[in-house]
């Protein structure tokens, strides 16, 4: 009595209409996503070929447009690369004291006033203003660069590990400790030291970590690796890729930690077939024999 009946005058949508609305919304969302500017990585690495077969690198923080250079033995070449990339150099990261890695440090000091020269503890690399070891880190803009102390090739060789804040792969600058498919000579150390560096320090990094080494030695390294493990299909396939890549004039860096575990005989020194190849039962002794045989090997 006296109540007013209300009527819903909003027309009901049919199933077809609801589907059409959903499809239009999906299309609009896809268009917005397509038109969105691409996301830049927080960390970028630029490979800079120098000398005969060396690689220097720019480790770029995109947020601050600052960069560290790794082993800039040809200072003018590396500075020119930084200028092309539009970044300011704030650090030199020196993996070790050999001239083809640290020989540009004094020029970097002259040409880039205020730059910090970082090197390994006790390595006595040229112009170093800060010595580092295990557990130390350097901030390049917003990029954190950790240090692994990896002596053997030289008394204070270090490996630098850069971490991207966007969750991308770590970038590992190994100098002459770890090469793609190989490792450096034991100039100032022992098989145990190289085992510690390769297997217990560098080797435990995530498998997708990108490996940037100091030289383009990859083809010959993998040719030797194939002679040591002739039935290893991963080595054969990577060697084919390397030859095609070099024929195209491109570098074979970066590798990954995962690839090195599959193809690098020095990291694989615990594998049964390499123990048999060397006649050793101990992985460290196996590593030492592989190094001696690699040094004596000729393609």
């Amino acid at each position: 009595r006296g109540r007013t009946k209300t009527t819903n005058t909003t027309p009901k949508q049919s199933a077809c209409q609801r589907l059409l609305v959903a499809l239009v919304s999906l299309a609009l969302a896809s268009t917005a996503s397509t038109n969105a500017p691409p996301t830049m990585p927080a960390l970028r690495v630029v490979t800079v070929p120098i000398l005969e077969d060396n690689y220097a690198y720019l480790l770029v923080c995109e947020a601050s447009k600052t960069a560290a250079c790794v082993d800039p033995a040809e200072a003018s070449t590396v500075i020119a690369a930084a200028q092309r990339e539009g970044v300011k150099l704030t650090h030199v990261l020196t993996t070790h004291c050999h001239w083809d890695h640290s020989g540009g440090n004094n020029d970097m000091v002259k040409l880039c006033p205020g730059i910090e020269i970082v090197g390994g503890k006790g390595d006595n690399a040229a112009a170093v203003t800060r010595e580092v070891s295990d557990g130390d880190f350097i901030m390049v803009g917003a990029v954190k660069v950790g240090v692994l102390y990896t002596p053997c090739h030289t008394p204070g060789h270090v490996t630098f590990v850069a971490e991207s804040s966007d969750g991308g792969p770590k970038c590992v600058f190994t100098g002459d400790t770890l090469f793609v498919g190989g490792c450096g000579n034991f100039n100032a150390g022992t098989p145990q030291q190289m085992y510690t560096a390769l297997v217990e320090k560098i080797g435990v990094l995530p498998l997708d970590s990108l490996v940037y080494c100091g030289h383009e030695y990859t083809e010959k390294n993998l040719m030797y690796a194939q002679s040591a493990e002739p039935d290893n299909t991963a080595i054969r396939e990577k060697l084919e890729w390397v030859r095609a890549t070099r024929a195209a004039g491109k570098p074979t860096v970066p590798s990954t930690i995962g690839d090195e575990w599959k193809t690098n005989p020095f990291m694989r020194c615990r594998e049964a077939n390499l123990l048999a190849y060397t006649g050793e039962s101990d992985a460290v002794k196996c590593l030492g024999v592989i190094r001696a045989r690699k040094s004596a090997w000729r393609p």
Side-chain angles (χ1 to χ4, degrees):
R1 187 180 73 199
R3 293 179 180 173
T4 303
K5 183 178 179 181
T6 57
T7 304
N8 185 355
T9 58
T10 304
K12 293 183 179 179
Q13 289 182 327
S14 69
C16 289
Q17 287 173 319
R18 289 195 298 272
L19 178 60
L20 180 61
V21 170
L23 289 173
V24 170
S25 298
L26 183 62
L28 289 172
S30 175
T31 301
S33 175
T34 302
N35 292 335
T39 302
M40 291 296 292
L43 164 63
R44 182 165 57 92
V45 175
V46 179
T47 301
V48 185
I50 59 172
L51 303 174
E52 183 178 350
D53 55 28
N54 281 69
Y55 290 129
Y57 300 97
L58 300 179
L59 189 167
V60 178
C61 171
E62 291 288 9
S64 62
K65 292 299 179 183
T66 57
C69 50
V70 181
D71 292 348
E74 282 184 355
S76 59
T77 303
V78 173
I79 290 171
Q83 291 171 342
R84 287 194 300 271
E85 298 296 328
V87 295
K88 178 183 178 181
L89 292 170
T90 59
H91 296 78
V92 170
L93 304 181
T94 311
T95 62
H96 65 291
C97 61
H98 289 165
W99 71 270
D100 58 330
H101 295 262
S102 66
N105 286 5
N106 283 310
D107 287 339
M108 293 298 298
V109 172
K110 295 173 185 175
L111 297 171
C112 302
I115 197 166
E116 183 172 46
I117 313 293
V118 181
K121 185 177 180 180
D123 208 47
N124 297 317
V128 166
T129 55
R130 179 184 173 191
E131 289 193 334
V132 292
S133 187
D134 276 327
D136 291 329
F137 67 90
I138 304 101
M139 294 302 300
V140 180
V143 175
K144 183 177 181 179
V145 184
V147 178
L148 299 176
Y149 196 55
T150 51
C152 183
H153 185 67
T154 63
H157 194 297
V158 286
T159 294
F160 296 101
V161 183
E163 300 182 29
S164 180
S165 60
D166 61 4
K170 296 178 187 293
C171 296
V172 190
F173 300 90
T174 57
D176 286 4
T177 290
L178 172 65
F179 296 126
V180 181
C183 78
N185 290 314
F186 305 172
N187 297 318
T190 65
Q192 180 62 64
Q193 284 182 308
M194 188 59 79
Y195 181 88
T196 298
L198 296 179
V199 176
E200 298 177 346
K201 290 188 176 183
I202 297 172
V204 299
L205 293 169
L207 296 180
D208 66 347
S209 300
L210 301 174
V211 176
Y212 295 91
C213 61
H215 291 269
E216 183 56 68
Y217 291 162
T218 308
E219 183 176 2
K220 287 185 178 179
N221 284 343
L222 290 177
M223 288 171 66
Y224 170 74
Q226 190 172 50
S227 74
E229 290 191 273
D231 297 327
N232 186 322
T233 56
I235 293 173
R236 185 182 69 250
E237 290 170 359
K238 184 152 188 178
L239 182 55
E240 291 172 357
W241 173 85
V242 165
R243 285 171 171 159
T245 299
R246 294 303 293 156
K250 298 178 181 179
T252 61
V253 290
S255 182
T256 66
I257 296 295
D259 272 0
E260 294 309 301
W261 277 121
K262 294 175 183 176
T263 60
N264 190 316
F266 299 95
M267 289 183 66
R268 292 172 54 78
C269 60
R270 297 176 294 184
E271 296 294 324
N273 55 346
L274 285 168
L275 291 168
Y277 164 75
T278 60
E280 298 289 348
S281 58
D282 176 79
V284 174
K285 291 180 179 179
C286 176
L287 175 58
V289 172
I290 294 170
R291 179 63 269 174
R293 290 187 181 179
K294 172 64 166 62
S295 296
W297 175 84
R298 297 293 180 269

